[in-house]
């Protein structure tokens, strides 16, 4: 399945992983309906780590000088501020390990958003965020961006907690074009890091090329 949208077609605040044969092979494995749960977890975790590393590239840095073991000075950089992760339950929890692997002792919050059966709108059911989250850069974690409803509600929760929109980086494995347009149109100041953009949604609002990420990860 092709990486649907070219960079020229994307909103300016969307950034895709560089397409390589390795990346395409990883996505081929997790898309295969015959892939075992163990392999699905292993190979999706590899993609998640690549996404987290790319997300960190979008954090601001400041000059920093250190002394090397030989006594020489090295003019490098350091991250400007503190970060935290926030996962959108339940599938977003799958991305927490990848964040912890590259950010030691990182604080992680959680948001549970579900569809309200009466209004058909995304509704907040639970949130637990670091008390100083308004002072941090936030990596918002959810593997799939389909319609964008849950992600948009999660950003509303973060903004209500005092997080500036420009300090939010949304990280996901696969996006649908309609979800990206909805999400980025509403929140143009945040950044989106995605690994792949599929052709769209099916009649059940699932991304065509994968299905339900949570079901595949958490059930045999």
């Amino acid at each position: 399945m092709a990486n649907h949208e070219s960079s020229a077609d994307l909103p300016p605040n969307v950034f895709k992983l560089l397409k390589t044969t390795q990346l395409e092979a990883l996505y081929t494995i997790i898309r295969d309906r015959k892939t075992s749960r163990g392999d699905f977890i292993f190979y999706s975790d590899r993609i998640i780590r690549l996404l987290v590393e790319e997300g960190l590239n979008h954090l601001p840095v400041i000059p920093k000088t250190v002394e090397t073991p030989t006594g020489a000075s090295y003019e490098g950089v350091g991250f400007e501020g503190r970060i935290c992760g926030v996962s959108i339950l339940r599938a977003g929890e799958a991305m927490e390990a990848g964040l912890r692997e590259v950010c030691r002792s990182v604080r992680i919050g959680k948001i549970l958003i579900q569809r309200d059966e009466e209004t058909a709108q995304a509704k907040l059911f639970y949130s637990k965020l670091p008390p100083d989250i308004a002072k941090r850069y936030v990596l918002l974690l959810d593997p799939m961006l389909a319609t964008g409803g849950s992600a948009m509600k999660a950003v509303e929760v973060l903004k209500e907690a005092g997080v500036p929109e420009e300090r939010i980086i949304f990280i996901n494995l696969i996006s649908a074009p309609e979800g990206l347009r909805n999400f980025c149109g509403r929140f143009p100041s945040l950044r989106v890091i995605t690994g792949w953009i599929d052709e769209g949604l099916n009649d059940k609002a699932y991304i065509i090329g994968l299905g339900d990420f949570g079901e595949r990860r958490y059930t045999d």
Side-chain angles (χ1 to χ4, degrees):
M1 183 169 291
N3 208 346
H4 184 66
E5 299 217 349
S6 69
S7 297
D9 299 325
L10 296 176
N13 54 335
V14 175
F15 302 88
K16 288 191 303 184
L17 291 182
L18 179 66
K19 184 178 178 181
T20 63
T21 53
Q22 177 186 197
L23 186 66
E24 190 163 10
L26 294 175
Y27 274 96
T28 301
I29 292 169
I30 69 169
R31 292 179 192 274
D32 189 343
R33 65 187 304 172
K34 295 181 289 185
T35 295
S36 68
R37 176 172 174 261
D39 282 349
F40 182 86
I41 293 172
F42 179 82
Y43 290 106
S44 61
D45 280 352
R46 285 187 59 188
I47 299 171
I48 289 166
R49 180 157 183 168
L50 292 172
L51 288 164
V52 170
E53 295 279 13
E54 177 59 26
L56 296 177
N57 281 333
H58 292 261
L59 295 173
V61 295
I62 55 176
K64 182 177 182 180
T65 302
V66 297
E67 184 179 343
T68 72
T70 62
S73 293
Y74 176 76
E75 303 291 334
V77 298
F79 289 122
E80 183 178 25
R82 293 176 297 172
I83 69 168
C84 70
V86 174
S87 59
I88 301 176
L89 302 174
R90 73 175 170 165
E93 282 188 305
M95 304 178 71
E96 293 178 6
L99 177 57
R100 285 194 173 101
E101 285 174 359
V102 295
C103 299
R104 299 180 68 179
S105 304
V106 66
R107 303 194 70 175
I108 295 181
K110 299 178 187 293
I111 296 175
L112 174 61
I113 295 167
Q114 294 181 343
R115 176 188 173 100
D116 188 308
E117 296 302 329
E118 293 184 1
T119 65
Q121 300 297 313
K123 181 178 179 180
L124 174 67
F125 279 82
Y126 170 84
S127 69
K128 184 174 178 60
L129 304 173
D132 61 346
I133 193 169
K135 300 177 182 179
R136 295 175 179 265
Y137 290 89
V138 178
L139 302 182
L140 182 61
L141 310 173
D142 197 9
M144 311 295 285
L145 180 67
T147 62
S150 294
M152 287 189 283
K153 184 64 177 178
V155 172
E156 290 176 8
V157 173
L158 294 176
K159 293 181 70 173
E160 289 169 4
V163 181
E165 184 178 318
E166 61 271 16
R167 286 190 170 218
I168 300 171
I169 300 174
F170 179 56
I171 299 177
N172 77 336
L173 276 81
I174 301 179
S175 297
E178 50 266 58
L180 275 178
R181 286 190 291 269
N182 292 337
F183 185 66
C184 296
R186 185 165 177 184
F187 302 114
S189 297
L190 54 70
R191 279 154 289 177
V192 178
I193 311 298
T194 189
W196 208 273
I197 300 173
D198 270 10
E199 63 187 51
L201 306 174
N202 65 13
D203 57 2
K204 295 182 179 180
Y206 287 148
I207 290 176
I208 294 171
L210 188 67
D212 188 313
F213 184 95
E215 289 294 320
R216 297 196 63 189
R217 186 172 181 99
Y218 295 116
T219 62
D220 289 319

